[in-house]
Amino acid sequence: PADPLVRQQPRPAPRPDAPVRQVPTPATEGFEVVPDPLPFTPPIDVVGTGTGSVAVDPPKPSPLFVQPGIDPRYAADFQPGYPSEERRAGREGRVVLRVLIGADGRVKQVERVTATSDAFYRATLDRALTKWRFRPATRDGVAVEAWKTMNLSFVLEN
């Protein structure tokens, strides 16, 4: 600490001929001031904690989607009848379809992907629209429409 008995000398006044220091100021010409695209929002205090932290919901899990499946009660009805003209010709075949299955498990729409012949496709299409039943797809336990790809083979037995 300074000794209270020692008198402090007053600071001398600046000389009138001393140079004045200039602080450079940034140029503002040619610049445009735009508002912040993301305005600041102060954190919200969580009631009762006094921590000043922001209440954040935990991330929601993505919805659980279960693909449609063949209803086992109708599994025997899936294979279409062998087209007679193909049987007589001794041809075997394969059909691949995309099937839109409604929330009720019934076939709503059929798209041809590939088919060995039109006869195999027609037999499969008729069977799909009249007899096929599925367990519908579910999203978080709720039945929803969904597409399923079906492969069918036509094999001649001796």
Side-chain angles (χ1 to χ4, degrees):
D3 188 348
L5 298 176
V6 175
R7 247 177 97 188
Q8 294 288 329
Q9 293 294 324
R11 185 173 268 178
R15 292 188 352 222
D17 60 342
V20 178
R21 288 187 60 201
Q22 290 283 324
V23 177
T25 56
T28 56
E29 290 181 25
F31 292 99
E32 181 182 343
V33 177
V34 294
D36 188 352
L38 299 173
F40 173 75
T41 53
I44 301 166
D45 189 52
V46 178
V47 177
T49 64
T51 60
S53 61
V54 176
V56 177
D57 289 335
K60 291 183 173 44
S62 56
L64 179 63
F65 183 79
V66 178
Q67 291 287 337
I70 294 173
D71 188 327
R73 296 172 296 179
Y74 297 93
D77 294 335
F78 271 78
Q79 184 64 41
Y82 215 103
S84 56
E85 63 267 27
E86 298 295 336
R87 182 183 304 279
R88 282 194 301 274
R91 286 191 289 257
E92 296 185 340
R94 180 176 174 86
V95 177
V96 179
L97 303 173
R98 284 187 68 226
V99 182
L100 179 62
I101 299 157
D104 61 355
R106 293 178 178 266
V107 174
K108 296 181 79 176
Q109 188 177 336
V110 177
E111 290 181 359
R112 178 178 179 164
V113 178
T114 62
T116 307
S117 74
D118 285 338
F120 287 128
Y121 171 70
R122 280 193 310 275
T124 306
L125 176 65
D126 291 343
R127 179 57 64 119
L129 293 173
T130 58
K131 300 284 187 184
W132 288 4
R133 298 291 181 273
F134 293 85
R135 286 189 323 265
T138 58
R139 180 171 285 115
D140 285 338
V142 178
V144 294
E145 283 186 357
W147 288 94
K148 181 171 183 66
T149 301
M150 299 292 295
N151 299 300
L152 286 99
S153 296
F154 291 83
V155 179
L156 288 170
E157 295 175 3
N158 294 343

